[in-house]
């Protein structure tokens, strides 16, 4: 059984991997291999790490189109860390419906606090609240 902590560690590494993917233009397979070789993956949900990393890389256009209408600036003007957090979280909103939207948003806020610029977590929280209303309407209505 995968623990909450193992999933949180996987998401932390995914943000870093997505940052590397965007900044370095490196193939996600190479990034995954590098992360598996250079990080202590013993207590990391490596399946989740793989699924999100490859899922975002395969679906980034749809993912960006999902959160882009809720931005107050052009997507290219976002810092790369915020873009990585939004991509990871929007991926989970769209493709990991077993993860409650409140968990997705909470994880994103924590990641933004850890890796993002000052106050990025507030911006990300606002964007993901709107993504949730749009992509998880039934779940949000039940709150």
């Amino acid at each position: 059984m995968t623990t909450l902590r193992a999933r949180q560690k996987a998401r932390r590494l995914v943000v870093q991997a997505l940052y590397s993917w965007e900044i370095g233009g490196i193939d996600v397979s190479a990034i995954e291999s590098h992360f598996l070789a250079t990080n202590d993956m013993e207590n990391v949900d490596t399946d989740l790490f793989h699924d999100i990393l490859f899922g975002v890389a395969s679906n980034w256009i749809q993912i960006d189109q999902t959160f882009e209408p809720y931005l107050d600036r052009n997507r290219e003007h976002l810092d790369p860390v915020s873009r990585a957090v939004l991509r990871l979280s929007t991926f989970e909103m769209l493709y990991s419906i077993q993860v409650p939207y409140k968990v997705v948003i909470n994880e994103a806020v924590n990641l933004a606090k850890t890796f993002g610029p000052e106050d990025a977590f507030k911006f990300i929280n606002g964007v993901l609240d709107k993504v949730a209303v749009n992509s998880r309407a039934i779940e949000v209505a039940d709150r």
Side-chain angles (χ1 to χ4, degrees):
M1 181 165 148
T2 305
T3 67
L4 172 66
R5 191 87 178 120
R7 290 188 299 272
Q8 289 173 331
K9 288 180 178 183
R11 288 183 184 102
R12 289 175 62 94
L13 289 173
V14 168
V15 168
Q16 295 170 55
L18 290 174
Y19 178 89
S20 297
W21 175 61
E22 181 171 351
I23 297 301
I26 304 166
D27 176 70
V28 288
S29 295
I31 291 170
E32 181 183 43
S33 295
H34 175 75
F35 270 74
L36 293 175
T38 60
N39 289 284
D40 177 7
M41 303 298 274
E42 184 178 339
N43 295 314
V44 175
D45 184 339
T46 54
D47 290 336
L48 182 65
F49 174 79
H50 173 87
D51 291 347
I52 295 174
L53 178 61
F54 281 81
V56 169
S58 298
N59 299 289
W60 71 270
I61 293 172
Q62 180 190 13
I63 291 166
D64 285 10
Q65 289 173 343
T66 300
F67 70 74
E68 215 162 12
Y70 310 113
L71 299 178
D72 60 0
R73 63 197 89 157
N74 190 302
R75 174 179 43 92
E76 285 78 30
H77 293 140
L78 289 174
D79 66 279
V81 172
S82 294
R83 200 166 29 250
V85 171
L86 283 171
R87 285 177 172 161
L88 179 161
S89 304
T90 302
F91 172 83
E92 287 200 291
M93 288 277 192
L94 296 174
Y95 299 103
S96 300
I97 58 170
Q98 73 279 9
V99 180
Y101 81 94
K102 288 182 181 182
V103 171
V104 172
I105 293 172
N106 187 56
E107 289 291 316
V109 166
N110 289 334
L111 290 167
K113 285 179 180 178
T114 301
F115 297 112
E118 187 176 336
D119 291 338
F121 71 94
K122 295 175 185 175
F123 172 75
I124 287 171
N125 183 50
V127 171
L128 291 175
D129 275 339
K130 294 171 185 157
V131 169
V133 168
N134 188 38
S135 64
R136 302 265 189 109
I138 295 170
E139 184 182 356
V140 171
D142 288 343
R143 61 175 162 175

